[in-house]
């Protein structure tokens, strides 16, 4: 076993085109570090519907140039098998470690395979890449990003020509092509021959951002903005400038791209502490709202002043606010969300007489809904311009929520006032999440097995009226690894994360409320129910 491991590592080393990972791997081989080598050679990073995502380093279980070249070659072979031999593949990348190298390798592989490759001019938000695919009539797109993962990670996201991320069976077909590559030496990688795009695509994207706003809407809301050390700042400032909003006050410490993300433990606005600097800036400059993008700017977080201090709105709250705003503006078309998002969207759509769809988790599913006008999911992802970007877009979402805040400001109201109105109209929909990060992935499988073998019959004293194992699929949803419990006045979904080592449990309670005076009591009741459901669910899952 030990000799076989060393032999596989040496074979990999001989092909590795990157001096940095070659040095790293050579040291492990020389030291005979079986534990570390085993971790890196225990298999290969699996290419799925999220593409690839993992820790940077040498070996097939890490993100590196060898793994990316194989992924690009697999994608090229898949496209050629589909007869798309003369199409353009457009490639974008963020500002993480190795992102520019991975983008260049992808362009070289596509060119070597006889396809045309076009690379965005510099690190830009993921939605610009998603826009560019449709704008340029490309057959596919690749975005090199790990979104809001830790600094040591990177990733590889694949879109097809419709501008949305891959779904089955494309992922398995591309994975099979990747597995068929015997040696990197079989993959031609010319030194040139691809196109580096100029700013025309970015200009076209920015021109579309204007279209998400109402022509005569007020543009008065003042914002504090953080790019979370990512690539959002320049594009967001340009979009806000074009729209005529007051220039956002920047969180200076997080404004410029920095792949080490020095001021945050995790560069995700949802993580504890990530918004501390933004709140400090808000206390100093007293804006109407705080806006944050994640590092690749496809997500948008919003914070508001609530009483004496600032608080983040939940993704579901922003999702409902944007929906209500679009309804008020007379939007037509289908409103869609993932199954883990709040059922409030369905109530808003129903009252407005609009079609409504629920999908599996992920924008790859939401973006495929027929006649989509607006889609969101609770993890801070919003699609407000599906004709332009068939994916979540943190720039256009920021514009739209700032327009809504401006509209309400002109009526001497706030986003919180509108949330109160929605609660009285549709019931108080309160959501929360129980999220458990693990080192050992078997703990997640154990928890799912325990819930399947011994399902709870009640949570927080509320009887479970329906328990669904989503691996079987439903009449509306394809199969997925998850469990859904419907309770009297509540809903719980449990699923393993698709991108991180986490078990995620999504909770929602709905408390009827007749008038605005009943809201404090309804909120207290909702908080109590959510706390108890969390406790009971933890016990049932053994986590």
């Amino acid at each position: 076993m030990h000799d076989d491991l060393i032999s596989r590592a040496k074979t990999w080393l001989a092909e590795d085109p990157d001096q940095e990972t070659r040095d790293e791997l050579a040291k492990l081989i020389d030291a005979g570090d079986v534990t570390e080598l085993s971790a890196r050679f225990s298999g290969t990073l699996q290419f799925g519907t999220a593409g690839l995502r993992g820790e940077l380093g040498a070996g097939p279980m890490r993100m590196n140039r060898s793994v990316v070249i194989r992924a690009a070659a697999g994608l090229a072979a898949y496209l050629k098998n589909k007869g798309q031999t003369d199409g353009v593949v457009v490639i974008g990348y963020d500002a993480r470690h190795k992102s520019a190298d991975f983008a260049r390798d992808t362009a070289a592989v596509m060119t070597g395979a006889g396809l045309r490759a076009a690379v965005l001019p510099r690190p830009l938000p993921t939605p610009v890449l998603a826009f560019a695919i449709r704008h340029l009539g490309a057959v596919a797109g690749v975005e090199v990003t790990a979104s809001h993962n830790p600094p040591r990670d990177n990733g590889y996201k694949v879109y097809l020509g419709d501008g949305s991320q891959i779904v089955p069976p494309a992922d398995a077909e591309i994975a099979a092509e990747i597995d068929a590559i015997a040696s990197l030496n079989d993959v031609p990688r010319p030194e040139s021959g691809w196109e580096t795009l100029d700013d025309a695509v970015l200009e076209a994207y920015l021109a579309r951002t204007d279209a998400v706003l109402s022509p005569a809407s007020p543009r008065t809301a003042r914002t504090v903005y953080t790019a979370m050390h990512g690539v959002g700042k320049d594009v967001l400032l340009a979009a806000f400038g074009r729209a005529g909003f007051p220039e956002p006050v920047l969180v200076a410490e997080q404004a410029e791209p920095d792949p080490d993300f020095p001021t945050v433990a995790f560069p995700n606005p949802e993580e504890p502490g990530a918004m501390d600097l933004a709140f400090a800036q808000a206390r100093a400059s007293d804006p109407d709202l705080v806006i944050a993008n994640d590092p690749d700017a496809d997500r948008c977080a919003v914070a508001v002043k609530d009483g004496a201090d600032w608080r983040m709105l939940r993704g579901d709250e922003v999702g409902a606010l944007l929906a209500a705003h679009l309804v008020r503006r007379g939007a037509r078309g289908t409103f869609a969300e993932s199954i883990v998002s709040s059922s409030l969207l369905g109530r808003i759509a129903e009252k407005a007489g609009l079609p409504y769809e629920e999908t599996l988790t992920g924008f790859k599913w939401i973006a495929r809904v027929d006649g989509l006008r607006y889609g969101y999911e609770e993890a801070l992802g919003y699609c407000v311009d599906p004709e332009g970007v068939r994916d979540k877009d943190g720039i256009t979402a920021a514009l739209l929520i700032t327009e809504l805040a401006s509209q309400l400001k002109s009526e001497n109201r706030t986003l919180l006032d509108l949330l109160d109105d929605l609660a009285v109209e549709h019931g108080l929909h309160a959501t929360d999440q129980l999220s458990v990060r693990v080192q050992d992935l078997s703990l997640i499988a154990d928890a799912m097995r325990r819930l399947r073998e011994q399902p709870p019959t009640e949570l927080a004293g509320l009887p479970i009226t329906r328990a669904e194992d989503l691996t079987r699929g439903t009449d509306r949803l394809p199969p997925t690894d998850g469990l859904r419990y419907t309770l009297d006045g509540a809903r719980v979904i449990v699923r393993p994360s698709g991108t991180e080592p986490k078990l995620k449990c999504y909770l929602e309670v709905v408390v009827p409320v007749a008038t605005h005076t009943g809201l404090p009591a309804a909120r207290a009741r909702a908080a109590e129910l959510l706390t108890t459901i969390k406790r009971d669910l933890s016990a049932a899952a053994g986590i």
Side-chain angles (χ1 to χ4, degrees), residues 337-354:
E337 65 180 337
S338 62
I339 56 170
V340 299
S341 305
S342 169
S343 59
L344 177 54
L345 184 69
R347 306 249 179 126
I348 292 170
E350 184 183 14
K351 178 138 193 205
L354 295 175

mmCIF file of all heavy atoms in Angstrom, residues 337-354:
data_model
loop_
_atom_site.group_PDB
_atom_site.id
_atom_site.type_symbol
_atom_site.label_atom_id
_atom_site.label_comp_id
_atom_site.label_asym_id
_atom_site.label_seq_id
_atom_site.Cartn_x
_atom_site.Cartn_y
_atom_site.Cartn_z
ATOM 1 N N GLU A 337 -38.413 29.831 -6.124
ATOM 2 C CA GLU A 337 -37.456 29.751 -5.015
ATOM 3 C C GLU A 337 -37.119 28.294 -4.781
ATOM 4 O O GLU A 337 -37.795 27.387 -5.265
ATOM 5 C CB GLU A 337 -38.049 30.364 -3.744
ATOM 6 C CG GLU A 337 -39.248 29.593 -3.219
ATOM 7 C CD GLU A 337 -39.863 30.190 -1.960
ATOM 8 O OE1 GLU A 337 -39.170 30.918 -1.243
ATOM 9 O OE2 GLU A 337 -41.044 29.888 -1.698
ATOM 10 N N SER A 338 -36.048 28.072 -4.003
ATOM 11 C CA SER A 338 -35.691 26.700 -3.643
ATOM 12 C C SER A 338 -36.555 26.226 -2.476
ATOM 13 O O SER A 338 -37.110 27.045 -1.735
ATOM 14 C CB SER A 338 -34.213 26.646 -3.248
ATOM 15 O OG SER A 338 -33.997 27.461 -2.110
ATOM 16 N N ILE A 339 -36.632 24.914 -2.309
ATOM 17 C CA ILE A 339 -37.503 24.343 -1.275
ATOM 18 C C ILE A 339 -37.079 24.741 0.137
ATOM 19 O O ILE A 339 -37.889 24.673 1.062
ATOM 20 C CB ILE A 339 -37.564 22.800 -1.355
ATOM 21 C CG1 ILE A 339 -36.163 22.179 -1.273
ATOM 22 C CG2 ILE A 339 -38.289 22.343 -2.585
ATOM 23 C CD1 ILE A 339 -36.173 20.672 -1.100
ATOM 24 N N VAL A 340 -35.821 25.163 0.323
ATOM 25 C CA VAL A 340 -35.367 25.521 1.666
ATOM 26 C C VAL A 340 -35.640 26.987 1.992
ATOM 27 O O VAL A 340 -35.316 27.459 3.078
ATOM 28 C CB VAL A 340 -33.862 25.207 1.860
ATOM 29 C CG1 VAL A 340 -33.604 23.728 1.691
ATOM 30 C CG2 VAL A 340 -32.991 26.019 0.905
ATOM 31 N N SER A 341 -36.217 27.728 1.053
ATOM 32 C CA SER A 341 -36.509 29.140 1.269
ATOM 33 C C SER A 341 -37.925 29.304 1.824
ATOM 34 O O SER A 341 -38.725 28.377 1.820
ATOM 35 C CB SER A 341 -36.338 29.905 -0.045
ATOM 36 O OG SER A 341 -35.034 29.669 -0.564
ATOM 37 N N SER A 342 -38.249 30.518 2.278
ATOM 38 C CA SER A 342 -39.504 30.743 2.984
ATOM 39 C C SER A 342 -40.729 30.602 2.088
ATOM 40 O O SER A 342 -40.742 31.085 0.955
ATOM 41 C CB SER A 342 -39.511 32.144 3.603
ATOM 42 O OG SER A 342 -40.800 32.471 4.077
ATOM 43 N N SER A 343 -41.769 29.982 2.647
ATOM 44 C CA SER A 343 -43.017 29.813 1.888
ATOM 45 C C SER A 343 -43.762 31.134 1.690
ATOM 46 O O SER A 343 -44.771 31.184 0.986
ATOM 47 C CB SER A 343 -43.923 28.799 2.600
ATOM 48 O OG SER A 343 -44.210 29.235 3.919
ATOM 49 N N LEU A 344 -43.256 32.210 2.312
ATOM 50 C CA LEU A 344 -43.889 33.520 2.143
ATOM 51 C C LEU A 344 -43.927 33.939 0.671
ATOM 52 O O LEU A 344 -44.893 34.577 0.232
ATOM 53 C CB LEU A 344 -43.145 34.570 2.988
ATOM 54 C CG LEU A 344 -43.614 36.024 2.884
ATOM 55 C CD1 LEU A 344 -45.109 36.161 3.174
ATOM 56 C CD2 LEU A 344 -42.809 36.914 3.828
ATOM 57 N N LEU A 345 -42.891 33.571 -0.108
ATOM 58 C CA LEU A 345 -42.876 33.964 -1.527
ATOM 59 C C LEU A 345 -44.106 33.409 -2.247
ATOM 60 O O LEU A 345 -44.716 34.098 -3.069
ATOM 61 C CB LEU A 345 -41.597 33.484 -2.224
ATOM 62 C CG LEU A 345 -41.480 33.942 -3.684
ATOM 63 C CD1 LEU A 345 -41.252 35.444 -3.774
ATOM 64 C CD2 LEU A 345 -40.373 33.199 -4.413
ATOM 65 N N GLY A 346 -44.476 32.163 -1.929
ATOM 66 C CA GLY A 346 -45.652 31.555 -2.550
ATOM 67 C C GLY A 346 -46.926 32.320 -2.220
ATOM 68 O O GLY A 346 -47.801 32.504 -3.075
ATOM 69 N N ARG A 347 -47.014 32.814 -0.979
ATOM 70 C CA ARG A 347 -48.204 33.576 -0.563
ATOM 71 C C ARG A 347 -48.270 34.914 -1.308
ATOM 72 O O ARG A 347 -49.339 35.355 -1.731
ATOM 73 C CB ARG A 347 -48.162 33.843 0.945
ATOM 74 C CG ARG A 347 -47.981 32.593 1.792
ATOM 75 C CD ARG A 347 -49.249 32.278 2.594
ATOM 76 N NE ARG A 347 -49.082 31.072 3.372
ATOM 77 C CZ ARG A 347 -49.290 31.007 4.688
ATOM 78 N NH1 ARG A 347 -49.664 32.084 5.349
ATOM 79 N NH2 ARG A 347 -49.167 29.862 5.321
ATOM 80 N N ILE A 348 -47.109 35.569 -1.444
ATOM 81 C CA ILE A 348 -47.059 36.862 -2.154
ATOM 82 C C ILE A 348 -47.459 36.665 -3.618
ATOM 83 O O ILE A 348 -48.269 37.425 -4.167
ATOM 84 C CB ILE A 348 -45.650 37.488 -2.043
ATOM 85 C CG1 ILE A 348 -45.364 37.913 -0.594
ATOM 86 C CG2 ILE A 348 -45.505 38.680 -2.991
ATOM 87 C CD1 ILE A 348 -43.921 38.328 -0.333
ATOM 88 N N ALA A 349 -46.891 35.626 -4.246
ATOM 89 C CA ALA A 349 -47.186 35.360 -5.658
ATOM 90 C C ALA A 349 -48.671 35.027 -5.840
ATOM 91 O O ALA A 349 -49.329 35.542 -6.757
ATOM 92 C CB ALA A 349 -46.312 34.228 -6.172
ATOM 93 N N GLU A 350 -49.194 34.193 -4.948
ATOM 94 C CA GLU A 350 -50.597 33.773 -5.063
ATOM 95 C C GLU A 350 -51.542 34.979 -4.981
ATOM 96 O O GLU A 350 -52.454 35.138 -5.785
ATOM 97 C CB GLU A 350 -50.932 32.763 -3.951
ATOM 98 C CG GLU A 350 -52.339 32.203 -4.056
ATOM 99 C CD GLU A 350 -52.665 31.258 -2.900
ATOM 100 O OE1 GLU A 350 -51.920 31.244 -1.895
ATOM 101 O OE2 GLU A 350 -53.672 30.550 -3.006
ATOM 102 N N LYS A 351 -51.282 35.851 -4.011
ATOM 103 C CA LYS A 351 -52.152 37.028 -3.838
ATOM 104 C C LYS A 351 -52.076 37.936 -5.061
ATOM 105 O O LYS A 351 -53.062 38.579 -5.436
ATOM 106 C CB LYS A 351 -51.742 37.781 -2.572
ATOM 107 C CG LYS A 351 -52.569 39.046 -2.364
ATOM 108 C CD LYS A 351 -52.971 39.242 -0.920
ATOM 109 C CE LYS A 351 -54.042 40.326 -0.821
ATOM 110 N NZ LYS A 351 -54.079 40.962 0.468
ATOM 111 N N ALA A 352 -50.899 37.991 -5.705
ATOM 112 C CA ALA A 352 -50.720 38.848 -6.882
ATOM 113 C C ALA A 352 -51.191 38.166 -8.166
ATOM 114 O O ALA A 352 -51.116 38.754 -9.248
ATOM 115 C CB ALA A 352 -49.244 39.239 -7.015
ATOM 116 N N GLY A 353 -51.651 36.911 -8.042
ATOM 117 C CA GLY A 353 -52.099 36.183 -9.221
ATOM 118 C C GLY A 353 -50.968 35.787 -10.155
ATOM 119 O O GLY A 353 -51.156 35.668 -11.363
ATOM 120 N N LEU A 354 -49.765 35.544 -9.577
ATOM 121 C CA LEU A 354 -48.593 35.189 -10.393
ATOM 122 C C LEU A 354 -48.271 33.705 -10.242
ATOM 123 O O LEU A 354 -48.444 33.141 -9.156
ATOM 124 C CB LEU A 354 -47.376 36.012 -9.959
ATOM 125 C CG LEU A 354 -47.469 37.525 -10.186
ATOM 126 C CD1 LEU A 354 -46.245 38.223 -9.609
ATOM 127 C CD2 LEU A 354 -47.604 37.839 -11.668
#
